[in-house]
Amino acid sequence: MNQNAHEPASLPVPAADALDASAALAAHIREAISQAGGWLPFDRYMELALYTPALGYYSGGARKFGRRAEDGSDFVTAPELSPLFAQTLARALAQALTASGTSRLIEFGAGTGRLAAGILSALDALGIPLQSYAIVELSGELRERQRATIDALGGALASRVTWLDALPDHFEGVVIGNEVLDAMPIALYARTAGVWRARGVSVDEAGAFRFDDRPLDAPEGQTGKEDAALLAEIDTQIDPGGDYIAETHSAAAAFTRTVCSMLVRGAAFFIDYGFPRGEYYHPQRSQGTLMCHYRHRAHGDPFLYPGLQDITAHVEFTRIAEAGVETGADLLGYTSQARFLMNAGITEALGEIDPNDVARFLPAANAVQKLMSEAEMGELFKVIAFSRGIDGAIDAFARGDRSHTL
């Protein structure tokens, strides 16, 4: 197989050891395809590429989070942009903890640990008693980075942090997931000449991965009732004669149901990029939202360097809302990241920095601009939250709640 058969010319070539790891994962995936009869649905391919133990992108050792390609990272997240993100989010979490009478936090996919460290420090400054802060993290490399970041806080705060290998059956407290839902495997469907087919992955004569569409009535192409109903709904929203690629989010919905079922009392906050269903399956979004990230460059080839690049898709928040509410949890709110952070007091937090201290103020103001701007993260990113045992709204959703659009 030509290792670089799918390589966009603009992307850097990985180091030899990284290429070896990617080749090992590719061989593992090819074997899985062979064992499945020559075809895997795309969500299974994505799961293997991201989460195969020791080799997948999120379960292996590749560096992921950072500010620049030069540091070996692939993308930047809000906690890496500014400590004011964690500080402001902590204000909303503090209100949820107080309103529910709980004192525990769980964070999924804690990245470098900066969000956890920032929240711990901010809650301590707010005088919020926190019994524990648990992190669910699949990557051993990221766990070590998180430990180093959190240990720098000092003993009192760092001692509250633990790492979980499995979720508790029941939980009272607040759950946080920043850019977690977009990393869940997605199913792909392609409509051609008015007929939907399941989009999967097979291997060509040279051993390279390729998209391969199968009829929905074929044994390997059959889909669940939720996806079938969604495809029928999409048909009513788009050009009946046009070709279309749709993603569905069964894994993210199942994860949301699990978290909300686990939640006995408290709240769960998820922050991610995406749209409600009516905007997600827009006629003009005919190629879907599947995207890959490698060294801070975005491209559309999920078969490039398996295990070394992120594979992601925008979140369809209507399905996430339905999944949470199905468990009996309340929809606490849904709004843009900009509105959420503004309601929670990010401008006040920025105002606490002396504008005459140019070396501190200008970088902080620029980061807040990126977090809030409609042209940057402010509008594309959304915040959705579910709750049990919290009466009424919290301040972060008090203005600009878009729950009615879901």
Side-chain angles (χ1 to χ4, degrees), residues 188-198 214-217 230-232 234-235 238 244-247 281:
L188 287 181
Y189 297 94
R191 196 184 75 167
T192 305
V195 178
W196 286 106
R197 292 176 174 82
R214 299 293 173 93
L216 295 184
D217 58 1
L230 185 52
L231 295 178
I234 295 170
D235 274 333
I238 62 177
Y244 201 87
I245 296 173
E247 305 127 0
Y281 301 113

Side-chain angles (χ1 to χ4, degrees), residues 101-123:
T102 59
S103 60
R104 298 177 184 271
L105 288 173
I106 291 180
E107 182 183 356
F108 288 95
T112 65
R114 286 193 181 184
L115 182 59
I119 288 172
L120 283 162
S121 297
L123 290 178

